Amino acid sequence: MCELLGMSANVPTDICFSFSGLLERGGNTGPHKDGWGITFYEGKGCRTFKDPQPSYQSEIAKLVKVYPIKSVSVVSHIRQGNRGRVCLENTHPFTRELWGREITYAHNGQLSNYHDLKPQYYRPVGNTDSELAFCWLLDKIREKYPKRPSNMASVFRYAAKLSHTLREKGVFNMLLTDGIFVLAYCTNNLHYITRRAPFGKATLIDADMVVDFQQETTPNDVVTVIATRPLTNDERWQKMEPGEFALFKMGELI
């Protein structure tokens, strides 16, 4: 299995603290040593860092850890490979263009009997079940919505409906974003926490690191962090139920 990390915020925010905990699970405190990646959105653009090396040893991950890139939407992933070899093209997150926007996706889990997923427009670059499912998902969305709809929330709700189909093929925990909305879909293991005033301190589980969010934020900030497993040991994380999805915009659950 793999682990996911996502963020939705109402103001550009860095994810250095949460990412510092996640990368330790990539081969140090966890077995997810088969690559990692992270995508940050800035306006209509996004920047992605990937490395098929274990995240806790990766020089690129060390750069991201101390580089406070501020974003309102982030998707990250550490991989424990089960389908497809360990290489850059099989490293999450995956990104494709749809209606002039970059759509980013990451998946935790393993699918079976997925060869009937035959996307026509979007094609996988690598050979993972994860990327194939992403291409199929976007194909179905493009088929239903040939043009960008005015109500983008409906697109993500449809993506959640499609995720029910993928869940029937195995474990399908997923993050999907267009840089504005962030969709989290749970099959068996996904949590989130929304931080807002009054802010307090938080301690990472996987690293010796404490942050006082009150010193780093304003009273109007709202930041939601989504993770496979809670990253801190002194906050109350919300555990999602199997088949449940959560759609966030600007840090808020909508």
Side-chain angles (χ1 to χ4, degrees):
M1 294 296 182
C2 309
E3 292 210 19
L4 300 169
L5 171 65
M7 185 187 76
S8 173
N10 67 341
V11 294
T13 305
D14 76 69
I15 199 170
C16 294
F17 176 70
S18 297
F19 183 71
S20 296
L22 181 74
L23 68 85
E24 292 298 322
R25 296 178 180 179
N28 186 20
T29 61
H32 319 286
K33 59 181 176 52
D34 297 325
W36 67 275
I38 188 168
T39 297
F40 302 87
Y41 277 80
E42 299 171 56
K44 289 184 68 176
C46 62
R47 66 174 88 187
T48 297
F49 301 85
K50 290 186 182 185
D51 194 349
Q53 302 298 316
S55 58
Y56 92 104
Q57 292 179 327
S58 169
E59 293 300 324
I60 304 173
K62 292 175 185 176
L63 166 67
V64 175
K65 176 181 174 181
V66 299
Y67 185 14
I69 299 171
K70 294 188 181 295
S71 175
V72 294
S73 299
V74 177
V75 169
S76 184
H77 180 276
I78 52 175
R79 183 178 183 225
Q80 185 179 12
N82 50 50
R83 303 281 192 207
R85 65 190 183 92
V86 177
C87 58
L88 189 59
E89 64 264 31
N90 286 337
T91 304
H92 307 223
F94 302 109
T95 300
R96 297 289 192 279
E97 179 273 336
L98 178 64
W99 310 310
R101 296 272 323 179
E102 301 279 9
I103 309 297
T104 298
Y105 153 105
H107 164 230
N108 159 33
Q110 184 173 346
L111 305 181
S112 301
N113 301 318
Y114 55 86
H115 297 291
D116 61 334
L117 302 177
K118 297 182 178 180
Q120 299 301 309
Y121 183 83
Y122 294 97
R123 300 297 179 88
V125 176
N127 59 347
T128 63
D129 54 339
S130 300
E131 189 184 13
L132 178 63
F134 178 41
C135 292
W136 177 85
L137 196 71
L138 286 187
D139 250 31
K140 291 296 183 182
I141 292 172
R142 191 171 183 265
E143 181 181 305
K144 183 175 176 65
Y145 301 98
K147 296 182 179 179
R148 179 184 173 92
S150 57
N151 180 11
M152 279 298 294
S154 66
V155 174
F156 284 91
R157 293 189 185 100
Y158 181 57
K161 182 179 179 180
L162 294 169
S163 298
H164 293 321
T165 300
L166 294 169
R167 178 182 168 224
E168 292 173 358
K169 297 180 178 295
V171 177
F172 190 73
N173 301 298
M174 180 269 286
L175 295 177
L176 183 75
T177 184
D178 65 345
I180 300 172
F181 293 88
V182 178
L183 172 68
Y185 183 88
C186 177
T187 288
N188 65 350
N189 205 7
L190 207 56
H191 299 74
Y192 67 87
I193 185 170
T194 299
R195 299 182 178 120
R196 64 177 81 240
F199 293 97
K201 295 182 179 180
T203 307
L204 288 177
I205 295 171
D206 299 271
D208 186 15
M209 191 172 180
V210 181
V211 68
D212 184 352
F213 289 113
Q214 189 168 352
Q215 304 300 318
E216 309 291 334
T217 57
T218 74
N220 297 321
D221 292 1
V222 179
V223 180
T224 292
V225 175
I226 308 146
T228 299
R229 294 182 291 129
L231 292 163
T232 58
N233 58 17
D234 47 7
E235 296 181 292
R236 181 174 294 179
W237 290 71
Q238 177 72 38
K239 180 175 174 57
M240 296 178 65
E241 297 299 322
E244 180 184 359
F245 75 91
L247 182 60
F248 301 95
K249 182 181 181 182
M250 298 186 69
E252 299 283 6
L253 179 68
I254 64 170

